[in-house]
Amino acid sequence: MLFSTRRRAAVGVLASLGLLATAGCSDADATDQPQPPKTGGTLHVIVSAKPAHLDPQRIATATDANVSRLLSRTLTTFKSEPGAAASEIVGDLATDAGRPSEGNKVWDFQLKEDLRWEDGTPITCEDVKYGVERSFSSIFSVAQPYAKTYLAGTENYAGPFVGGNNEGKGLASVQCVDKRNIKFRLSQPVGDFGYTVAMSVFAPVPVKQDTKNDYDRKPFSNGPYKLQENTDQQLVFVRNQYWDRKTDSVRKAYPEKIVIEANADLPTVTSNLIQSEGEFADSIDLDKNVAPNFVQQVVNDPALSARAVQGSYGGIRYLAINSKRIPDLDCRRALVYAFDKRKFRAAAGGSVFGDYANTMIAPQLKAHKDFDLYDSANNVEGKPDVAIKLMEEQRNSGKPCATTLTLSIPEQKDIRRLATTMVETYQQIGIQLKVNGIDPETYFDVIGNPANQNDLLWAGWIPDWANGSAVIAPLFDGRLIPAKTNATNNQNYSLLNDPEINDAITAALEESVPERQYRLWGELDEKIQQQAVTIPIIYMKALRMAGTNVRGGFIHPQFGQPDLCALGLA
């Protein structure tokens, strides 16, 4: 996920999760065990930019997915508990994690009883079916590829909306056996499909409430909260009276109200949370780490460190190299060799924010394979001499590498500062880097258009579950690159479309023995790195500041953020 992306019964669980500090100790009681959250109050949540999407079928980033769980339930979901348990799924709308048959090509789920929408009407199988089907419509982009990838008979399907190519028709591969039982027929065996339906693209939507494009601003809720207010900088959530705690073992729903507000001024936000005065005592920074100039203060002060929510997870920060705009392998290899990871990490705040990365599959995942094709571990400042030599060879062969490239980033102060380190790095090998700052709210939609004109793209990925299937397939399967003009739902930012790799992805997905599947994903990771279409920079860690009154914080591996479902106030 993006952001998008983020746990496995059939194919394993996270090998480790190195956290877990609980947010919420005051200066006076920093050495005592924090009290658990209490019901009530208003939790204030600070984000760098307002979530781009609330429509469950449009969810792309980790922040959007985290917020979405307040409103939208899915057939299964991840536990809201610290430690390895967070990588396990349980039935959410469904009674269990699914019942496979026919060699994992058919999956059945039964809805729980007494599930209600925010107006009190029952949630039915038809709502789930319609939610999945609407994700195929060209009316809006869909970020998560799983429904299109896994369901049978979707090749020419364009959604259920009347007036579209299918004139209101449904998908035969999504069958309502009755009001509470739903059956999915897959195009290939998928041993971890129970994890797949935890993705928001499989969330139900009631057809009578579907306002199509406008649904993104105010989706109909079946979670513990409903949307009361949606302004340019703020979202306000209040309780959904028809949500029943007896049907939901995951969401704690402690606060009476949750206010999510955008503020990209990271140093000011960190300072306010450290001082913890007024509403900042009831606030937490959801998606941004502590500002670099405050890191040592937070780490070395026991009282501050005790209320910082921190830990590692399976996320990767990387640069995607647009293989269509930079088609020559050695020109891409030069960019990989030249990258200075030490300078980048130092500007981010140091080792507390991540370990140096050589692969796209992080070490926390069992599919991780330990390799280092570009000798990066021993040369974290890069090997500019090797890069220069590769560029000279290209120039001498009559195929010179471009010396002016465009880097896309979300236009935020902290990311702009990190981009400056890249500009300085590539100047050393004679490349001028032009930084293209894009509105953070639309950033992933913009770079999700395969026709974008950026050479290097700032990206990060949190696996939707803890296996290579949630890293390699969505990021590098060339068959998922949209063909239509002005698409915004591509996540293969490198535009890699290698038939051999595509076939190997299919083979790995079909492998039912976990250890064999892990090995296949690790081997694919290495093959893709040989193509030099990404620059893995750091395996991400989180250090999020919280006010003195916030309780229940831990880093959830699905989001790489404090889990909103667990947070509350003292």
Side-chain angles (χ1 to χ4, degrees):
M1 179 167 299
L2 293 129
F3 251 169
S4 163
T5 185
R6 347 177 156 124
R7 321 149 174 123
R8 178 149 283 71
V11 204
V13 298
L14 274 183
S16 65
L17 182 67
L19 161 80
L20 298 177
T22 301
C25 293
S26 68
D27 293 352
D29 64 5
T31 57
D32 299 330
Q33 183 68 26
Q35 295 298 311
K38 296 181 179 178
T39 300
T42 298
L43 174 70
H44 293 267
V45 179
I46 303 168
V47 292
S48 54
K50 201 184 80 171
H53 298 293
L54 295 175
D55 185 325
Q57 272 72 49
R58 300 186 192 219
I59 297 299
T61 69
T63 301
D64 291 8
N66 197 354
V67 173
S68 179
R69 283 218 297 180
L70 302 176
L71 298 170
S72 299
R73 297 176 64 181
T74 42
L75 290 172
T76 64
T77 196
F78 295 94
K79 291 182 177 179
S80 183
E81 299 175 19
S87 298
E88 301 171 6
I89 56 167
V90 293
D92 187 4
L93 293 174
T95 56
D96 55 31
R99 299 175 299 283
S101 60
E102 297 184 26
N104 292 328
K105 289 190 72 172
V106 174
W107 283 76
D108 286 276
F109 299 86
Q110 183 179 65
L111 297 179
K112 296 173 182 175
E113 296 181 346
D114 298 323
L115 298 168
R116 304 280 171 177
W117 290 102
E118 66 174 74
D119 64 350
T121 57
I123 299 171
T124 66
C125 174
E126 285 78 8
D127 297 331
V128 179
K129 176 178 169 64
Y130 178 74
V132 177
E133 291 169 344
R134 75 191 288 271
S135 73
F136 288 82
S137 173
S138 60
I139 287 179
F140 49 73
S141 64
V142 181
Q144 294 175 333
Y146 304 112
K148 293 182 178 180
T149 306
Y150 293 159
L151 296 179
T154 63
E155 294 80 6
N156 299 310
Y157 186 64
F161 298 152
V162 175
N165 293 345
N166 300 99
E167 290 294 337
K169 294 182 180 178
L171 267 176
S173 53
V174 184
Q175 177 188 356
C176 285
V177 179
D178 54 39
K179 289 292 183 182
R180 288 182 54 208
N181 288 278
I182 188 166
K183 184 187 298 288
F184 294 93
R185 294 193 177 275
L186 311 184
S187 59
Q188 63 188 66
V190 181
D192 52 10
F193 191 70
Y195 284 78
T196 306
V197 296
M199 300 300 100
S200 58
V201 71
F202 285 89
V205 171
V207 63
K208 291 182 179 179
Q209 301 295 336
D210 188 4
T211 52
K212 301 180 175 63
N213 276 320
D214 291 338
Y215 198 74
D216 209 17
R217 286 196 58 81
K218 197 177 190 306
F220 212 56
S221 175
N222 56 31
Y225 298 91
K226 59 184 179 181
L227 188 62
Q228 182 185 64
E229 186 177 334
N230 185 347
T231 65
D232 288 344
Q233 295 296 315
Q234 194 176 79
L235 298 171
V236 179
F237 299 93
V238 295
R239 287 197 180 277
N240 171 13
Q241 63 176 318
Y242 289 104
W243 173 77
D244 188 344
R245 191 179 301 275
K246 295 194 296 291
T247 72
D248 191 342
S249 64
V250 172
R251 296 162 184 82
K252 309 300 189 292
Y254 293 119
E256 192 69 23
K257 179 187 291 187
I258 298 177
V259 178
I260 297 177
E261 188 164 1
N263 188 337
D265 188 349
L266 181 60
T268 299
V269 169
T270 300
S271 177
N272 287 336
L273 289 171
I274 287 174
Q275 294 176 45
S276 193
E277 296 176 351
E279 71 177 32
F280 286 101
D282 301 334
S283 301
I284 187 169
D285 195 330
L286 191 71
D287 65 347
K288 284 293 182 186
N289 286 318
V290 168
N293 53 313
F294 287 102
V295 169
Q296 291 307 311
Q297 179 185 354
V298 171
V299 170
N300 294 323
D301 184 327
L304 294 178
S305 181
R307 60 181 168 95
V309 187
Q310 54 190 302
S312 59
Y313 50 100
I316 176 82
R317 172 67 61 202
Y318 70 101
L319 280 189
I321 302 175
N322 188 328
S323 62
K324 297 301 181 185
R325 291 180 57 84
I326 309 176
D328 191 278
L329 175 59
D330 278 346
C331 292
R332 298 197 301 267
R333 292 175 66 215
L335 294 170
V336 179
Y337 274 116
F339 197 92
D340 189 331
K341 297 178 184 178
R342 185 190 299 277
K343 182 178 290 187
F344 178 97
R345 191 174 76 167
S351 60
V352 70
F353 292 139
D355 299 320
Y356 295 124
N358 310 314
T359 67
M360 290 298 292
I361 300 178
Q364 287 90 344
L365 278 62
K366 290 185 177 180
H368 172 78
K369 180 179 181 181
D370 192 15
F371 61 86
D372 187 6
L373 298 180
Y374 301 95
D375 198 20
S376 174
N378 297 319
N379 298 275
V380 293
E381 295 174 353
K383 301 178 76 172
D385 53 333
V386 175
I388 290 171
K389 182 180 179 181
L390 286 169
M391 293 178 68
E392 287 177 349
E393 290 173 350
Q394 287 298 112
R395 188 163 51 250
N396 293 336
S397 67
K399 299 178 181 179
C401 301
T403 55
T404 300
L405 299 175
T406 299
L407 165 67
S408 69
I409 65 166
E411 187 54 79
Q412 295 170 196
K413 289 182 180 179
D414 54 324
I415 298 178
R416 174 69 67 165
R417 184 183 65 254
L418 294 173
T420 299
T421 71
M422 302 179 223
V423 172
E424 295 169 352
T425 290
Y426 286 118
Q427 283 176 344
Q428 298 181 45
I429 64 170
I431 292 178
Q432 179 186 0
L433 210 58
K434 296 181 178 180
V435 181
N436 177 26
I438 300 170
D439 183 344
E441 285 193 31
T442 60
Y443 178 74
F444 289 102
D445 288 342
V446 172
I447 69 170
N449 180 354
N452 78 81
Q453 299 299 300
N454 297 288
D455 303 296
L456 299 173
L457 302 96
W458 167 278
W461 188 254
I462 302 170
D464 287 317
W465 54 85
N467 193 22
S469 56
V471 180
I472 301 300
L475 296 186
F476 301 108
D477 190 334
R479 296 164 295 190
L480 299 179
I481 299 173
K484 67 179 183 179
T485 305
N486 295 325
T488 60
N489 57 335
N490 176 53
Q491 293 172 325
N492 183 345
Y493 305 127
S494 303
L495 300 180
L496 178 67
N497 191 3
D498 184 313
E500 182 180 342
I501 288 174
N502 295 344
D503 290 343
I505 288 172
T506 297
L509 288 170
E510 292 181 351
E511 176 54 63
S512 60
V513 178
E515 294 301 328
R516 292 178 185 169
Q517 191 179 113
Y518 298 148
R519 177 177 54 79
L520 291 174
W521 292 124
E523 291 173 353
L524 263 169
D525 193 0
E526 187 170 14
K527 287 180 181 178
I528 290 165
Q529 288 306 302
Q530 290 170 357
Q531 298 289 328
V533 293
T534 64
I535 305 175
I537 306 174
I538 56 174
Y539 303 121
M540 293 187 287
K541 297 179 182 178
L543 179 66
R544 308 291 157 80
M545 202 64 218
T548 52
N549 202 30
V550 177
R551 298 290 187 272
F554 67 92
I555 299 299
H556 198 295
Q558 188 184 13
F559 315 115
Q561 301 174 353
D563 184 3
L564 278 176
C565 288
L567 292 174
L569 303 173

